[in-house]
């Protein structure tokens, strides 16, 4: 076996390739989104959950939403050629722009609203194929264009015409379809769903400012912490890696280890962009073998004699696999832990990874190291919903107090939900007739935070 080639790809010692679209989303910079919101005072009806931002089981149409979504792409050829590529323009365009006369989206909006209210989405991706990390997801991109940008433009159009009820149905459809995106247990699908949901939150803020929107406090309170259960996503990402080997493993000294190593190299060569010179590869291979010899004997349950009877390929592959098992046991529980617990575990995992990079001399970290960040990104759905729910509690207070804003969040009639990342209230400060509501920046989470200036109409 070509051990230099192994060194080319073993830099991904724990990893699975997460698609480019998701790695860019996971690597989002820590920056603050600042907005000025002029809110209309509106009292929330006590315990009113008659309107939900995600359709309840009783509201759902039983059936698969995917055929409805895909037909939109293929049944409207003139639209797809002429208007589809321009949807991002309309989603960002001022509502007074005369180009709005060219925007016809009602038929698509009807179908998106129907799809969002359907009970489930089965995209039929080959999740358990031989090379699952190479699955193509073109349908996800059409969701971004139609449900995110197209529906955002349509919602703004409805709000400009005073049709708040229709706009709210469109926002609800965006949340429903974002849930359908996240039905596929792949990180990138959850992140695309999250992007669509964030557009839904942005549009809800526009509706809140429009003046006729009922108070959404209880509708926001019924939202789940994530669009879908994160357990299947985490388990799939951990499974869909060539680092995963089939047990029982071959015995010590068995020739099958050569085949295992060759297959591992071939699979990772398809996904890896990093390359090493021959000299760099030789150096990395030697360091990895030294680490394997030392750690297999000291930490991973093998005797010195057993380690010596292994070939170089076997030592390195056993070491990679056992490190993968260790990583999996640390990461899999994070799907069900609090953001604070995830952040603490993420720091520990990243510190161990930095140590491994230093010891091995590898050039970069494996993509799978970013999985805790992906889990946190998915939990950011709850953080955004609780933030806007706090705004709605403030709007309720203003409705009960002649348009004045509270001096502090403890004065609210409705309970201000805690920030799930800090387990404390969001940061609030009143200065005259203007209030500032913001999210704390979290050390260990490179996500966008929100910093709003609120005034009451």
């Amino acid at each position: 076996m070509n051990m230099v080639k192994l060194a080319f790809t073993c830099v991904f010692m724990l990893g699975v390739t997460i698609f480019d679209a998701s790695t860019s989303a996971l690597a989002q910079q820590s920056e603050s989104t600042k907005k000025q919101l002029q809110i209309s005072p509106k009292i929330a009806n006590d315990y009113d959950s008659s309107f939900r931002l995600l359709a309840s089981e009783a509201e759902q149409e039983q059936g698969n939403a995917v055929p409805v979504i895909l037909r939109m792409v293929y049944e409207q050829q003139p639209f797809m050629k002429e208007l589809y590529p321009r949807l991002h323009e309309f989603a960002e365009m001022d509502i007074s722009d005369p180009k709005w006369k060219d925007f016809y989206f009602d038929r698509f909006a009807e179908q998106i609203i129907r799809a969002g209210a359907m009970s489930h989405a089965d995209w039929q991706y080959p999740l358990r194929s031989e090379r699952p990390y190479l699955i193509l997801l073109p349908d996800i991109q059409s969701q971004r264009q139609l449900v995110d940008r197209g529906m955002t433009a349509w919602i703004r159009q409805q709000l400009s015409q005073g049709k708040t009820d229709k706009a709210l149905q469109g926002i609800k459809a965006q949340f429903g379809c974002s849930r359908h995106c996240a039905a596929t247990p792949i990180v990138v699908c959850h992140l695309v769903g999250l992007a669509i949901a964030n557009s839904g939150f942005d549009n809800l803020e526009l509706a809140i400012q429009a003046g006729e929107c009922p108070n959404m406090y209880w509708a926001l309170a019924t939202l789940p912490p994530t669009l879908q259960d994160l357990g299947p996503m985490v388990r799939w990402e951990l499974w869909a890696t060539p680092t995963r080997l089939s047990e029982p493993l071959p015995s010590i000294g068995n020739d099958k280890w050569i085949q295992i190593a060759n297959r591992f190299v071939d699979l990772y060569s398809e996904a890896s962009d990093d390359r090493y010179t021959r000299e760099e590869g030789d150096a990395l291979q030697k360091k990895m073998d030294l680490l394997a010899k030392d750690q297999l004997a000291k930490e991973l349950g093998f005797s010195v004699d057993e380690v010596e009877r292994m070939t170089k390929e076997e030592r390195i592959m056993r070491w990679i696999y056992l490190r993968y098992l260790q990583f999996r046991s640390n990461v899999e529980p994070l799907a069900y832990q609090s953001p604070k617990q995830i952040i603490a575990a993420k720091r520990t995992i990243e510190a161990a990874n930095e140590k491994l990079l230093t010891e091995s001399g590898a050039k970069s970290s494996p993509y799978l190291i970013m999985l805790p960040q992906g889990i946190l990104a998915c939990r950011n759905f709850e953080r955004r919903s609780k933030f806007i729910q706090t705004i709605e509690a403030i709007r309720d207070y203003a409705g009960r107090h002649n348009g004045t804003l509270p001096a502090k969040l403890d004065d609210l009639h409705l309970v201000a939900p805690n920030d799930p990342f800090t387990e404390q209230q969001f940061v609030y400060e009143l200065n005259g007739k203007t209030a500032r509501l913001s999210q704390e920046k979290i050390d260990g989470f490179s996500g966008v935070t929100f910093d709003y200036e609120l005034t009451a109409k």
Side-chain angles (χ1 to χ4, degrees):
M1 166 177 154
N2 186 340
M3 288 303 295
V4 175
K5 187 181 179 187
L6 176 62
F8 286 168
T9 55
C10 276
V11 63
F12 297 91
M13 285 174 276
L14 304 173
V16 58
T17 298
I18 300 174
F19 304 91
D20 289 343
S22 66
T23 53
S24 61
L26 292 179
Q28 55 187 319
Q29 294 180 352
S30 295
E31 56 186 32
S32 182
T33 296
K34 297 181 181 295
K35 288 186 181 182
Q36 292 181 331
L37 265 62
Q38 189 178 50
I39 57 176
S40 300
K42 187 74 69 173
I43 295 174
N45 296 326
D46 285 347
Y47 310 110
D48 181 9
S49 58
S50 57
F51 178 83
R52 292 176 179 267
L53 289 166
L54 270 174
S56 67
E57 288 80 1
E59 294 177 288
Q60 290 172 4
E61 176 184 340
Q62 292 301 309
N64 184 10
V66 171
V68 178
I69 293 168
L70 295 186
R71 282 195 205 104
M72 291 191 296
V73 177
Y74 298 110
E75 286 186 353
Q76 302 289 335
Q77 292 301 320
F79 176 92
M80 298 306 296
K81 290 179 181 177
E82 297 166 14
L83 195 55
Y84 178 87
R86 298 174 53 211
L87 287 178
H88 67 284
E89 298 176 22
F90 287 100
E92 299 169 2
M93 199 164 64
D94 189 278
I95 204 66
S96 63
D97 196 303
K99 292 178 184 176
W100 277 107
K101 64 181 176 58
D102 299 325
F103 184 70
Y104 302 100
F105 201 75
D106 284 358
R107 289 190 63 186
F108 283 91
E110 290 172 5
Q111 294 304 310
I112 291 170
I113 289 169
R114 183 187 171 210
M118 295 186 79
S119 60
H120 66 279
D122 185 356
W123 294 90
Q124 295 292 311
Y125 293 127
L127 294 176
R128 300 290 170 174
S129 62
E130 185 179 357
R131 289 171 168 78
Y133 45 83
L134 296 181
I135 294 173
L136 297 176
L137 302 165
D139 305 320
I140 294 298
Q141 293 309 314
S142 69
Q143 284 266 285
R144 287 295 304 271
Q145 192 73 338
L146 289 169
V147 180
D148 186 340
R149 300 180 181 100
M151 206 61 176
T152 289
W154 185 83
I155 289 164
R156 294 181 65 192
Q157 190 179 49
Q158 304 312 303
L159 289 172
S160 73
Q161 298 169 3
K163 299 176 181 177
T164 305
D165 288 346
K166 273 196 165 185
L168 288 175
Q169 288 301 315
I171 293 166
K172 184 171 183 172
Q174 285 187 310
F175 283 114
C177 289
S178 67
R179 177 173 62 90
H180 292 328
C181 267
T184 300
I186 300 177
V187 164
V188 65
C189 297
H190 281 253
L191 295 178
V192 171
L194 185 66
I196 296 172
N198 274 321
S199 290
F201 284 128
D202 290 340
N203 294 327
L204 184 61
E205 290 173 357
L206 290 175
I208 288 169
Q209 294 180 86
E212 299 302 319
C213 181
N215 196 297
M216 292 283 113
Y217 179 89
W218 296 108
L220 288 156
T222 62
L223 287 177
T226 55
L227 290 168
Q228 292 281 358
D229 180 3
L230 299 185
M233 177 196 82
V234 173
R235 289 189 291 273
W236 184 88
E237 292 288 353
L238 290 167
W239 172 86
T241 167
T243 311
R244 166 186 51 84
L245 301 181
S246 298
E247 295 201 40
L249 299 178
S251 58
I252 292 174
N254 194 307
D255 289 343
K256 289 183 179 178
W257 283 104
I258 302 294
Q259 300 172 22
I260 290 172
N262 276 320
R263 175 174 169 75
F264 175 82
V265 168
D266 289 341
L267 293 176
Y268 265 129
S269 293
E270 295 175 349
S272 168
D273 291 327
D274 277 357
R275 291 294 182 266
Y276 292 71
T277 65
R278 181 168 293 278
E279 292 75 18
E280 290 172 334
D282 285 339
L284 177 59
Q285 169 201 324
K286 289 177 182 177
K287 285 186 177 181
M288 289 175 65
D289 189 37
L290 287 173
L291 285 171
K293 279 183 177 180
D294 181 60
Q295 294 179 14
L296 286 171
K298 288 184 178 179
E299 302 174 24
L300 301 173
F302 292 91
S303 68
V304 174
D305 177 65
E306 287 174 326
V307 173
E308 288 298 327
R309 287 193 286 117
M310 297 176 189
T311 62
K312 185 182 298 184
E313 293 90 343
E314 181 181 350
R315 281 194 294 269
I316 292 175
M317 288 308 303
R318 282 189 183 274
W319 176 66
I320 290 171
Y321 178 60
L322 289 168
R323 285 301 181 198
Y324 156 75
L325 293 180
Q326 185 180 55
F327 178 82
R328 187 178 72 183
S329 66
N330 289 330
V331 170
E332 190 171 339
L334 301 186
Y336 303 105
Q337 293 183 1
S338 70
K340 287 187 75 172
Q341 290 173 311
I342 298 166
I343 290 167
K346 178 175 176 286
R347 292 179 183 135
T348 301
I349 290 167
E350 289 174 348
N353 179 63
E354 286 301 315
K355 182 174 182 288
L356 187 61
L357 289 177
T358 301
E359 290 175 343
S360 67
K363 290 184 177 181
S364 62
S365 301
Y367 286 119
L368 204 58
I369 292 298
M370 300 175 76
L371 190 50
Q373 172 72 9
I375 298 169
L376 284 171
C378 294
R379 292 300 299 269
N380 215 28
F381 175 80
E382 180 184 23
R383 195 181 201 202
R384 183 87 190 269
S385 72
K386 297 306 180 190
F387 187 74
I388 301 177
Q389 189 183 353
T390 301
I391 293 173
E392 289 300 77
I394 294 169
R395 199 157 72 107
D396 172 83
Y397 179 95
R400 296 173 189 271
H401 295 83
N402 300 316
T404 60
L405 300 178
K408 56 187 184 298
L409 293 182
D410 287 338
D411 294 341
L412 296 172
H413 173 73
L414 297 172
V415 175
N418 284 342
D419 178 348
F421 278 59
T422 65
E423 299 177 5
Q424 303 292 326
Q425 290 178 341
F426 291 103
V427 180
Y428 179 83
E429 181 182 1
L430 181 67
N431 184 10
K433 294 184 177 181
T434 301
R436 181 187 175 197
L437 184 71
S438 61
Q439 298 173 338
E440 287 187 20
K441 290 188 175 181
I442 307 296
D443 182 26
F445 175 58
S446 56
V448 175
T449 57
F450 292 89
D451 186 351
Y452 285 8
E453 186 179 280
L454 306 176
T455 55
K457 289 184 180 179

